[in-house]
Amino acid sequence: MATSERHAALDAQVAAWRIETPAGYGAFLSASAMAITPLELALERAGVAGWLPDWSQRVRRTALSRDLAALGLEAPPFASAMVPSPDFGAGLLYVLEGSRLGARFLARQVAAGGHGLPLAYLTQGEGDGLWRSFLAWLETPNVGTQTDACEDGARYGFQCFSDAFETIAPSGAPNVRTGAHVRV
């Protein structure tokens, strides 16, 4: 997909956070919830369970809520999201499912901090082959046939994550959009 720059910018944004600390991880989970919850709800309103049969196995907002509660945090408020078509949804799902790959690395980073932080979100679906089965689904002839709509959905997903991480950024984390350090 033609979203590599947005993906790289988001990775750089998150890499600057100290998620191995309870405060940094709490901020990371809050930003993730701010992005994922409305996106998953929008996909469900658009009928994702009808296009992606194992959708219920992929939902991560419940695991996120559990991790936030374990840290004594509440889910942050979030804006509603939109999914105007299944092809747009396929692009958005590409971002959501692709984030599982980075989650494995982040889970190891959080665990290495030695604080016993909850990992339900970062390990949700681990070992279930969800990325592989998602790619197989994406290759089916009736999904993602409108390339422009798929790319729009992927760009929208990255933008939602970037906006959430910029909103919740811990004090001193760099703002990759402006090159400035965020002061919250």
Side-chain angles (χ1 to χ4, degrees):
M1 292 210 163
T3 56
S4 58
E5 287 182 20
R6 289 174 188 248
H7 190 176
L10 181 60
D11 283 349
Q13 193 173 11
V14 175
W17 293 30
R18 297 197 56 225
I19 67 167
E20 71 280 7
T21 67
Y25 188 54
F28 170 81
L29 290 175
S30 293
S32 296
M34 184 179 273
I36 285 178
T37 302
L39 294 175
E40 286 185 348
L41 291 172
L43 283 163
E44 289 173 2
R45 284 192 306 273
V48 68
W51 341 312
L52 185 60
D54 63 352
W55 167 250
S56 64
Q57 293 177 331
R58 299 174 183 278
V59 173
R60 291 191 285 173
R61 66 180 184 272
T62 306
L64 254 170
S65 293
R66 280 197 315 265
D67 285 350
L68 285 167
L71 293 175
L73 300 172
E74 292 184 22
F78 54 85
S80 65
M82 53 105 185
V83 177
S85 71
D87 287 324
F88 185 97
L92 177 55
L93 284 164
Y94 175 82
V95 174
L96 292 174
E97 291 302 311
S99 71
R100 291 179 190 281
L101 302 174
R104 284 189 240 158
F105 169 77
L106 295 175
R108 286 193 300 269
Q109 185 179 347
V110 171
H115 297 284
L117 298 170
L119 295 171
Y121 163 62
L122 291 176
T123 60
Q124 192 279 336
E126 191 173 277
D128 292 344
L130 293 174
W131 175 246
R132 184 175 304 169
S133 64
F134 172 74
L135 291 178
W137 172 81
L138 197 57
E139 294 296 322
T140 58
N142 59 350
V143 177
T145 57
Q146 301 293 320
T147 305
D148 290 347
C150 284
E151 289 178 6
D152 287 347
R155 280 191 284 274
Y156 180 70
F158 281 119
Q159 187 64 51
C160 290
F161 273 95
S162 184
D163 289 348
F165 278 84
E166 192 168 307
T167 299
I168 305 283
S171 180
N175 180 330
V176 295
R177 287 187 188 165
T178 64
H181 286 265
V182 175
R183 307 226 187 279
V184 178

